[in-house]
mmCIF file of all heavy atoms in Angstrom:
data_model
loop_
_atom_site.group_PDB
_atom_site.id
_atom_site.type_symbol
_atom_site.label_atom_id
_atom_site.label_comp_id
_atom_site.label_asym_id
_atom_site.label_seq_id
_atom_site.Cartn_x
_atom_site.Cartn_y
_atom_site.Cartn_z
ATOM 1 N N ASP A 451 111.210 154.572 132.232
ATOM 2 C CA ASP A 451 112.378 153.679 132.292
ATOM 3 C C ASP A 451 113.639 154.576 132.479
ATOM 4 O O ASP A 451 114.060 155.293 131.552
ATOM 5 C CB ASP A 451 112.595 152.836 131.051
ATOM 6 C CG ASP A 451 113.544 151.729 131.094
ATOM 7 O OD1 ASP A 451 114.345 151.833 132.096
ATOM 8 O OD2 ASP A 451 113.621 150.967 130.287
ATOM 9 N N MET A 452 114.156 154.526 133.726
ATOM 10 C CA MET A 452 115.257 155.451 134.045
ATOM 11 C C MET A 452 116.646 154.733 133.873
ATOM 12 O O MET A 452 117.646 155.330 134.282
ATOM 13 C CB MET A 452 115.165 155.982 135.517
ATOM 14 C CG MET A 452 113.821 156.722 135.825
ATOM 15 S SD MET A 452 113.528 158.034 134.786
ATOM 16 C CE MET A 452 114.770 159.150 135.381
ATOM 17 N N ARG A 453 116.659 153.587 133.267
ATOM 18 C CA ARG A 453 117.960 152.931 132.998
ATOM 19 C C ARG A 453 118.892 153.792 132.097
ATOM 20 O O ARG A 453 118.361 154.462 131.226
ATOM 21 C CB ARG A 453 117.765 151.481 132.531
ATOM 22 C CG ARG A 453 117.121 150.538 133.535
ATOM 23 C CD ARG A 453 116.857 149.221 132.863
ATOM 24 N NE ARG A 453 115.945 149.379 131.732
ATOM 25 C CZ ARG A 453 115.640 148.320 130.902
ATOM 26 N NH1 ARG A 453 116.143 147.107 131.110
ATOM 27 N NH2 ARG A 453 114.813 148.513 129.860
ATOM 28 N N PRO A 454 120.240 153.582 132.216
ATOM 29 C CA PRO A 454 121.070 154.397 131.269
ATOM 30 C C PRO A 454 120.744 153.931 129.764
ATOM 31 O O PRO A 454 120.583 152.802 129.483
ATOM 32 C CB PRO A 454 122.448 153.803 131.683
ATOM 33 C CG PRO A 454 122.323 153.360 133.056
ATOM 34 C CD PRO A 454 120.891 152.788 133.170
ATOM 35 N N GLY A 455 120.727 154.954 128.996
ATOM 36 C CA GLY A 455 120.430 154.825 127.590
ATOM 37 C C GLY A 455 118.901 154.842 127.196
ATOM 38 O O GLY A 455 118.580 155.132 126.208
ATOM 39 N N ARG A 456 118.127 154.685 128.312
ATOM 40 C CA ARG A 456 116.660 154.735 128.125
ATOM 41 C C ARG A 456 116.160 156.138 128.418
ATOM 42 O O ARG A 456 115.345 156.724 127.655
ATOM 43 C CB ARG A 456 115.883 153.811 129.120
ATOM 44 C CG ARG A 456 116.267 152.336 128.976
ATOM 45 C CD ARG A 456 115.593 151.751 127.747
ATOM 46 N NE ARG A 456 116.384 151.834 126.519
ATOM 47 C CZ ARG A 456 116.034 151.627 125.263
ATOM 48 N NH1 ARG A 456 114.712 151.208 125.104
ATOM 49 N NH2 ARG A 456 116.813 151.752 124.209
ATOM 50 N N PHE A 457 116.740 156.845 129.401
ATOM 51 C CA PHE A 457 116.452 158.151 129.818
ATOM 52 C C PHE A 457 117.709 159.092 129.773
ATOM 53 O O PHE A 457 118.699 158.676 130.468
ATOM 54 C CB PHE A 457 115.778 158.242 131.170
ATOM 55 C CG PHE A 457 115.368 159.626 131.631
ATOM 56 C CD1 PHE A 457 114.109 160.100 131.358
ATOM 57 C CD2 PHE A 457 116.163 160.392 132.361
ATOM 58 C CE1 PHE A 457 113.758 161.353 131.663
ATOM 59 C CE2 PHE A 457 115.864 161.646 132.812
ATOM 60 C CZ PHE A 457 114.549 162.129 132.449
ATOM 61 N N TRP A 458 117.653 160.091 129.012
ATOM 62 C CA TRP A 458 118.835 161.018 128.981
ATOM 63 C C TRP A 458 118.472 162.356 128.532
ATOM 64 O O TRP A 458 117.385 162.511 128.009
ATOM 65 C CB TRP A 458 120.033 160.495 127.964
ATOM 66 C CG TRP A 458 119.522 160.228 126.526
ATOM 67 C CD1 TRP A 458 118.955 159.026 126.005
ATOM 68 C CD2 TRP A 458 119.471 161.231 125.561
ATOM 69 N NE1 TRP A 458 118.657 159.209 124.719
ATOM 70 C CE2 TRP A 458 118.986 160.543 124.391
ATOM 71 C CE3 TRP A 458 119.833 162.528 125.357
ATOM 72 C CZ2 TRP A 458 118.799 161.260 123.193
ATOM 73 C CZ3 TRP A 458 119.736 163.237 124.205
ATOM 74 C CH2 TRP A 458 119.185 162.496 123.067
ATOM 75 N N SER A 459 119.358 163.354 128.852
ATOM 76 C CA SER A 459 119.086 164.766 128.437
ATOM 77 C C SER A 459 120.436 165.308 127.938
ATOM 78 O O SER A 459 121.493 164.906 128.472
ATOM 79 C CB SER A 459 118.565 165.510 129.512
ATOM 80 O OG SER A 459 119.417 165.581 130.651
ATOM 81 N N HIS A 460 120.379 166.388 127.173
ATOM 82 C CA HIS A 460 121.594 167.013 126.622
ATOM 83 C C HIS A 460 121.337 168.476 126.409
ATOM 84 O O HIS A 460 120.275 168.777 125.819
ATOM 85 C CB HIS A 460 122.119 166.339 125.367
ATOM 86 C CG HIS A 460 123.280 167.002 124.792
ATOM 87 N ND1 HIS A 460 124.530 166.949 125.307
ATOM 88 C CD2 HIS A 460 123.329 167.654 123.608
ATOM 89 C CE1 HIS A 460 125.300 167.661 124.525
ATOM 90 N NE2 HIS A 460 124.700 168.070 123.463
ATOM 91 N N TRP A 461 122.237 169.323 126.763
ATOM 92 C CA TRP A 461 122.187 170.669 126.522
ATOM 93 C C TRP A 461 123.306 171.128 125.598
ATOM 94 O O TRP A 461 124.389 171.033 125.891
ATOM 95 C CB TRP A 461 122.274 171.541 127.754
ATOM 96 C CG TRP A 461 122.413 173.022 127.622
ATOM 97 C CD1 TRP A 461 123.411 173.785 128.176
ATOM 98 C CD2 TRP A 461 121.595 173.964 126.979
ATOM 99 N NE1 TRP A 461 123.350 175.057 127.866
ATOM 100 C CE2 TRP A 461 122.143 175.267 127.087
ATOM 101 C CE3 TRP A 461 120.367 173.765 126.280
ATOM 102 C CZ2 TRP A 461 121.568 176.287 126.566
ATOM 103 C CZ3 TRP A 461 119.815 174.904 125.737
ATOM 104 C CH2 TRP A 461 120.318 176.203 125.870
ATOM 105 N N ASP A 462 122.871 171.551 124.341
ATOM 106 C CA ASP A 462 123.871 172.006 123.357
ATOM 107 C C ASP A 462 124.012 173.505 123.428
ATOM 108 O O ASP A 462 123.056 174.229 123.051
ATOM 109 C CB ASP A 462 123.388 171.570 122.043
ATOM 110 C CG ASP A 462 124.443 171.788 120.886
ATOM 111 O OD1 ASP A 462 125.391 172.592 121.094
ATOM 112 O OD2 ASP A 462 124.354 171.078 119.795
ATOM 113 N N ARG A 463 125.137 174.017 123.904
ATOM 114 C CA ARG A 463 125.318 175.393 124.174
ATOM 115 C C ARG A 463 125.471 176.163 122.786
ATOM 116 O O ARG A 463 125.270 177.400 122.785
ATOM 117 C CB ARG A 463 126.518 175.640 125.062
ATOM 118 C CG ARG A 463 126.455 175.097 126.384
ATOM 119 C CD ARG A 463 127.652 175.380 127.253
ATOM 120 N NE ARG A 463 127.499 174.873 128.593
ATOM 121 C CZ ARG A 463 126.939 175.504 129.609
ATOM 122 N NH1 ARG A 463 126.318 176.634 129.405
ATOM 123 N NH2 ARG A 463 126.735 174.955 130.837
ATOM 124 N N ASP A 464 125.944 175.464 121.759
ATOM 125 C CA ASP A 464 126.174 176.118 120.469
ATOM 126 C C ASP A 464 124.772 176.445 119.770
ATOM 127 O O ASP A 464 124.591 177.620 119.363
ATOM 128 C CB ASP A 464 127.033 175.215 119.561
ATOM 129 C CG ASP A 464 128.367 175.001 120.107
ATOM 130 O OD1 ASP A 464 128.856 175.977 120.821
ATOM 131 O OD2 ASP A 464 128.990 173.989 119.852
ATOM 132 N N THR A 465 123.881 175.556 119.771
ATOM 133 C CA THR A 465 122.651 175.652 119.113
ATOM 134 C C THR A 465 121.558 176.169 120.098
ATOM 135 O O THR A 465 120.457 176.522 119.690
ATOM 136 C CB THR A 465 122.080 174.409 118.430
ATOM 137 O OG1 THR A 465 122.006 173.355 119.422
ATOM 138 C CG2 THR A 465 123.208 173.951 117.425
ATOM 139 N N ARG A 466 121.850 176.151 121.426
ATOM 140 C CA ARG A 466 120.923 176.556 122.442
ATOM 141 C C ARG A 466 119.705 175.683 122.406
ATOM 142 O O ARG A 466 118.590 176.124 122.569
ATOM 143 C CB ARG A 466 120.510 178.076 122.306
ATOM 144 C CG ARG A 466 121.620 179.083 122.492
ATOM 145 C CD ARG A 466 122.069 179.024 123.923
ATOM 146 N NE ARG A 466 122.908 180.171 124.259
ATOM 147 C CZ ARG A 466 124.190 180.376 124.049
ATOM 148 N NH1 ARG A 466 124.822 179.338 123.670
ATOM 149 N NH2 ARG A 466 124.793 181.431 124.515
ATOM 150 N N ARG A 467 119.965 174.318 122.340
ATOM 151 C CA ARG A 467 118.810 173.453 122.184
ATOM 152 C C ARG A 467 118.993 172.332 123.351
ATOM 153 O O ARG A 467 120.040 171.872 123.450
ATOM 154 C CB ARG A 467 118.832 172.763 120.826
ATOM 155 C CG ARG A 467 117.703 171.554 120.769
ATOM 156 C CD ARG A 467 117.624 171.151 119.374
ATOM 157 N NE ARG A 467 117.261 172.079 118.354
ATOM 158 C CZ ARG A 467 117.253 171.975 117.087
ATOM 159 N NH1 ARG A 467 117.635 170.715 116.543
ATOM 160 N NH2 ARG A 467 116.979 172.816 116.228
ATOM 161 N N PHE A 468 117.910 172.207 124.113
ATOM 162 C CA PHE A 468 117.859 171.226 125.126
ATOM 163 C C PHE A 468 117.008 170.022 124.683
ATOM 164 O O PHE A 468 115.930 170.128 124.286
ATOM 165 C CB PHE A 468 117.294 171.780 126.451
ATOM 166 C CG PHE A 468 117.252 170.823 127.612
ATOM 167 C CD1 PHE A 468 118.397 170.597 128.262
ATOM 168 C CD2 PHE A 468 116.091 170.269 127.969
ATOM 169 C CE1 PHE A 468 118.483 169.636 129.397
ATOM 170 C CE2 PHE A 468 116.031 169.394 129.049
ATOM 171 C CZ PHE A 468 117.245 169.163 129.793
ATOM 172 N N THR A 469 117.666 168.841 124.757
ATOM 173 C CA THR A 469 116.975 167.574 124.307
ATOM 174 C C THR A 469 116.832 166.570 125.487
ATOM 175 O O THR A 469 117.818 166.403 126.197
ATOM 176 C CB THR A 469 117.904 166.919 123.149
ATOM 177 O OG1 THR A 469 118.135 167.900 122.125
ATOM 178 C CG2 THR A 469 117.088 165.760 122.600
ATOM 179 N N LEU A 470 115.674 165.989 125.530
ATOM 180 C CA LEU A 470 115.380 165.041 126.503
ATOM 181 C C LEU A 470 114.602 163.800 125.862
ATOM 182 O O LEU A 470 113.656 164.044 125.174
ATOM 183 C CB LEU A 470 114.569 165.535 127.687
ATOM 184 C CG LEU A 470 114.291 164.651 128.888
ATOM 185 C CD1 LEU A 470 114.370 165.461 130.159
ATOM 186 C CD2 LEU A 470 112.919 164.029 128.740
ATOM 187 N N GLN A 471 115.135 162.617 126.140
ATOM 188 C CA GLN A 471 114.440 161.426 125.620
ATOM 189 C C GLN A 471 114.031 160.578 126.813
ATOM 190 O O GLN A 471 114.817 160.279 127.758
ATOM 191 C CB GLN A 471 115.310 160.667 124.695
ATOM 192 C CG GLN A 471 114.819 159.340 124.138
ATOM 193 C CD GLN A 471 115.792 158.554 123.384
ATOM 194 O OE1 GLN A 471 116.049 158.951 122.200
ATOM 195 N NE2 GLN A 471 116.361 157.547 123.951
ATOM 196 N N LEU A 472 112.811 160.055 126.732
ATOM 197 C CA LEU A 472 112.374 159.104 127.744
ATOM 198 C C LEU A 472 111.590 157.925 127.117
ATOM 199 O O LEU A 472 110.990 158.137 126.112
ATOM 200 C CB LEU A 472 111.476 159.690 128.740
ATOM 201 C CG LEU A 472 110.220 160.427 128.368
ATOM 202 C CD1 LEU A 472 108.927 159.494 128.455
ATOM 203 C CD2 LEU A 472 109.904 161.648 129.258
ATOM 204 N N PHE A 473 111.687 156.728 127.715
ATOM 205 C CA PHE A 473 110.908 155.553 127.323
ATOM 206 C C PHE A 473 109.953 155.189 128.442
ATOM 207 O O PHE A 473 110.384 155.241 129.680
ATOM 208 C CB PHE A 473 111.762 154.521 126.863
ATOM 209 C CG PHE A 473 112.288 154.608 125.525
ATOM 210 C CD1 PHE A 473 113.645 155.122 125.298
ATOM 211 C CD2 PHE A 473 111.588 154.340 124.394
ATOM 212 C CE1 PHE A 473 114.142 155.355 123.977
ATOM 213 C CE2 PHE A 473 112.110 154.464 123.140
ATOM 214 C CZ PHE A 473 113.357 154.891 122.972
ATOM 215 N N PHE A 474 108.813 154.757 128.268
ATOM 216 C CA PHE A 474 107.915 154.195 129.295
ATOM 217 C C PHE A 474 108.176 152.681 129.337
ATOM 218 O O PHE A 474 108.449 152.039 128.313
ATOM 219 C CB PHE A 474 106.387 154.413 128.886
ATOM 220 C CG PHE A 474 106.044 155.813 128.939
ATOM 221 C CD1 PHE A 474 105.847 156.533 127.790
ATOM 222 C CD2 PHE A 474 105.949 156.549 130.172
ATOM 223 C CE1 PHE A 474 105.534 157.917 127.738
ATOM 224 C CE2 PHE A 474 105.609 157.883 130.183
ATOM 225 C CZ PHE A 474 105.328 158.558 128.926
ATOM 226 N N ARG A 475 108.097 152.103 130.540
ATOM 227 C CA ARG A 475 108.251 150.741 130.779
ATOM 228 C C ARG A 475 107.024 150.011 130.138
ATOM 229 O O ARG A 475 105.922 150.413 130.325
ATOM 230 C CB ARG A 475 108.418 150.372 132.246
ATOM 231 C CG ARG A 475 109.829 150.737 132.786
ATOM 232 C CD ARG A 475 109.957 150.249 134.171
ATOM 233 N NE ARG A 475 111.278 150.479 134.723
ATOM 234 C CZ ARG A 475 112.316 149.656 134.602
ATOM 235 N NH1 ARG A 475 112.202 148.537 133.866
ATOM 236 N NH2 ARG A 475 113.407 150.047 135.232
ATOM 237 N N ASN A 476 107.354 148.770 129.593
ATOM 238 C CA ASN A 476 106.240 148.043 129.042
ATOM 239 C C ASN A 476 105.386 147.347 130.086
ATOM 240 O O ASN A 476 106.043 146.764 131.003
ATOM 241 C CB ASN A 476 106.829 146.929 128.038
ATOM 242 C CG ASN A 476 107.226 147.547 126.740
ATOM 243 O OD1 ASN A 476 106.819 148.544 126.408
ATOM 244 N ND2 ASN A 476 108.230 146.879 126.122
ATOM 245 N N PRO A 477 104.129 147.435 130.150
ATOM 246 C CA PRO A 477 103.281 146.771 131.157
ATOM 247 C C PRO A 477 103.374 145.150 130.914
ATOM 248 O O PRO A 477 103.673 144.727 129.746
ATOM 249 C CB PRO A 477 102.013 147.217 130.871
ATOM 250 C CG PRO A 477 101.842 147.644 129.488
ATOM 251 C CD PRO A 477 103.249 148.163 129.138
ATOM 252 N N THR A 478 103.267 144.413 131.977
ATOM 253 C CA THR A 478 103.284 143.033 131.852
ATOM 254 C C THR A 478 102.014 142.577 131.091
ATOM 255 O O THR A 478 100.881 142.897 131.495
ATOM 256 C CB THR A 478 103.335 142.425 133.223
ATOM 257 O OG1 THR A 478 104.548 142.895 133.842
ATOM 258 C CG2 THR A 478 103.472 140.947 133.092
ATOM 259 N N ARG A 479 102.093 141.705 130.059
ATOM 260 C CA ARG A 479 101.066 141.198 129.243
ATOM 261 C C ARG A 479 100.530 139.905 129.826
ATOM 262 O O ARG A 479 101.155 139.170 130.419
ATOM 263 C CB ARG A 479 101.460 141.052 127.883
ATOM 264 C CG ARG A 479 102.018 142.337 127.192
ATOM 265 C CD ARG A 479 101.939 142.252 125.704
ATOM 266 N NE ARG A 479 100.715 141.877 125.103
ATOM 267 C CZ ARG A 479 100.421 141.938 123.939
ATOM 268 N NH1 ARG A 479 101.298 142.336 123.019
ATOM 269 N NH2 ARG A 479 99.190 141.644 123.436
ATOM 270 N N ALA A 480 99.220 139.672 129.634
ATOM 271 C CA ALA A 480 98.583 138.483 130.043
ATOM 272 C C ALA A 480 98.973 137.282 129.221
ATOM 273 O O ALA A 480 98.973 137.495 127.921
ATOM 274 C CB ALA A 480 97.089 138.705 130.144
ATOM 275 N N THR A 481 99.140 136.175 129.717
ATOM 276 C CA THR A 481 99.494 134.976 128.931
ATOM 277 C C THR A 481 98.189 134.364 128.465
ATOM 278 O O THR A 481 97.077 134.658 129.006
ATOM 279 C CB THR A 481 100.305 133.989 129.860
ATOM 280 O OG1 THR A 481 99.507 133.714 131.038
ATOM 281 C CG2 THR A 481 101.593 134.691 130.300
ATOM 282 N N MET A 482 98.269 133.347 127.637
ATOM 283 C CA MET A 482 97.098 132.624 127.095
ATOM 284 C C MET A 482 96.452 131.921 128.224
ATOM 285 O O MET A 482 96.980 130.982 128.784
ATOM 286 C CB MET A 482 97.660 131.694 125.971
ATOM 287 C CG MET A 482 98.119 132.399 124.773
ATOM 288 S SD MET A 482 96.854 133.327 123.934
ATOM 289 C CE MET A 482 95.761 132.052 123.387
ATOM 290 N N GLY A 483 95.151 132.245 128.427
ATOM 291 C CA GLY A 483 94.452 131.575 129.494
ATOM 292 C C GLY A 483 94.766 131.928 130.891
ATOM 293 O O GLY A 483 94.256 131.432 131.792
ATOM 294 N N GLY A 484 95.671 132.837 130.969
ATOM 295 C CA GLY A 484 96.064 133.305 132.410
ATOM 296 C C GLY A 484 95.794 134.754 132.673
ATOM 297 O O GLY A 484 95.474 135.464 131.688
ATOM 298 N N ALA A 485 95.884 135.252 133.817
ATOM 299 C CA ALA A 485 95.638 136.571 134.260
ATOM 300 C C ALA A 485 96.792 137.414 134.109
ATOM 301 O O ALA A 485 97.900 136.896 134.289
ATOM 302 C CB ALA A 485 95.030 136.674 135.715
ATOM 303 N N ALA A 486 96.657 138.700 133.842
ATOM 304 C CA ALA A 486 97.795 139.565 133.622
ATOM 305 C C ALA A 486 98.498 139.824 135.041
ATOM 306 O O ALA A 486 97.706 139.890 136.059
ATOM 307 C CB ALA A 486 97.380 140.871 133.098
ATOM 308 N N THR A 487 99.657 140.033 135.059
ATOM 309 C CA THR A 487 100.458 140.267 136.369
ATOM 310 C C THR A 487 101.290 141.471 136.207
ATOM 311 O O THR A 487 101.565 141.987 135.090
ATOM 312 C CB THR A 487 101.444 139.087 136.601
ATOM 313 O OG1 THR A 487 102.295 138.959 135.624
ATOM 314 C CG2 THR A 487 100.596 137.790 136.874
ATOM 315 N N GLY A 488 101.620 142.037 137.319
ATOM 316 C CA GLY A 488 102.360 143.334 137.334
ATOM 317 C C GLY A 488 101.559 144.591 137.560
ATOM 318 O O GLY A 488 100.322 144.544 137.402
ATOM 319 N N ALA A 489 102.313 145.619 137.992
ATOM 320 C CA ALA A 489 101.572 146.853 138.277
ATOM 321 C C ALA A 489 100.965 147.545 137.102
ATOM 322 O O ALA A 489 100.005 148.254 137.221
ATOM 323 C CB ALA A 489 102.532 147.911 138.998
ATOM 324 N N ASN A 490 101.503 147.330 135.854
ATOM 325 C CA ASN A 490 101.026 147.957 134.656
ATOM 326 C C ASN A 490 100.372 147.028 133.716
ATOM 327 O O ASN A 490 100.411 147.071 132.530
ATOM 328 C CB ASN A 490 102.164 148.661 133.904
ATOM 329 C CG ASN A 490 102.788 149.812 134.742
ATOM 330 O OD1 ASN A 490 102.043 150.531 135.451
ATOM 331 N ND2 ASN A 490 104.117 149.934 134.728
ATOM 332 N N ALA A 491 99.869 145.979 134.305
ATOM 333 C CA ALA A 491 99.270 144.912 133.486
ATOM 334 C C ALA A 491 97.997 145.404 132.800
ATOM 335 O O ALA A 491 97.277 146.247 133.348
ATOM 336 C CB ALA A 491 98.924 143.695 134.302
ATOM 337 N N ILE A 492 97.661 144.984 131.526
ATOM 338 C CA ILE A 492 96.471 145.265 130.817
ATOM 339 C C ILE A 492 95.286 144.508 131.359
ATOM 340 O O ILE A 492 95.351 143.336 131.397
ATOM 341 C CB ILE A 492 96.658 145.112 129.309
ATOM 342 C CG1 ILE A 492 97.855 145.833 128.838
ATOM 343 C CG2 ILE A 492 95.449 145.390 128.496
ATOM 344 C CD1 ILE A 492 98.291 145.590 127.421
ATOM 345 N N PRO A 493 94.231 145.279 131.783
ATOM 346 C CA PRO A 493 93.057 144.541 132.207
ATOM 347 C C PRO A 493 92.468 143.545 131.219
ATOM 348 O O PRO A 493 92.488 143.829 129.988
ATOM 349 C CB PRO A 493 92.078 145.656 132.589
ATOM 350 C CG PRO A 493 92.889 146.913 132.651
ATOM 351 C CD PRO A 493 93.957 146.644 131.712
ATOM 352 N N ALA A 494 91.989 142.460 131.698
ATOM 353 C CA ALA A 494 91.438 141.410 130.836
ATOM 354 C C ALA A 494 90.117 141.991 130.166
ATOM 355 O O ALA A 494 89.371 142.615 130.761
ATOM 356 C CB ALA A 494 91.090 140.113 131.563
ATOM 357 N N GLY A 495 89.937 141.699 128.886
ATOM 358 C CA GLY A 495 88.827 142.045 128.185
ATOM 359 C C GLY A 495 88.855 143.386 127.589
ATOM 360 O O GLY A 495 87.962 143.862 126.816
ATOM 361 N N SER A 496 89.941 144.176 127.763
ATOM 362 C CA SER A 496 90.087 145.469 127.135
ATOM 363 C C SER A 496 90.674 145.346 125.756
ATOM 364 O O SER A 496 91.385 144.432 125.454
ATOM 365 C CB SER A 496 90.918 146.334 128.041
ATOM 366 O OG SER A 496 92.155 145.835 128.119
ATOM 367 N N GLN A 497 90.313 146.299 124.875
ATOM 368 C CA GLN A 497 90.745 146.294 123.584
ATOM 369 C C GLN A 497 92.161 146.913 123.517
ATOM 370 O O GLN A 497 92.566 147.728 124.347
ATOM 371 C CB GLN A 497 89.858 147.064 122.569
ATOM 372 C CG GLN A 497 88.454 146.431 122.544
ATOM 373 C CD GLN A 497 87.550 147.161 121.706
ATOM 374 O OE1 GLN A 497 87.933 148.264 121.147
ATOM 375 N NE2 GLN A 497 86.347 146.649 121.491
#
């Protein structure tokens, strides 16, 4: 997820520490009685 606030990095020159945070996009979940949709959908029948 590359949206602002979701993915960011910071270099602190005083402490010499580089920080990076990232979040993965949530896959589309299957509805009750329906098939999953989306590129990251969870296959049916999987735990």
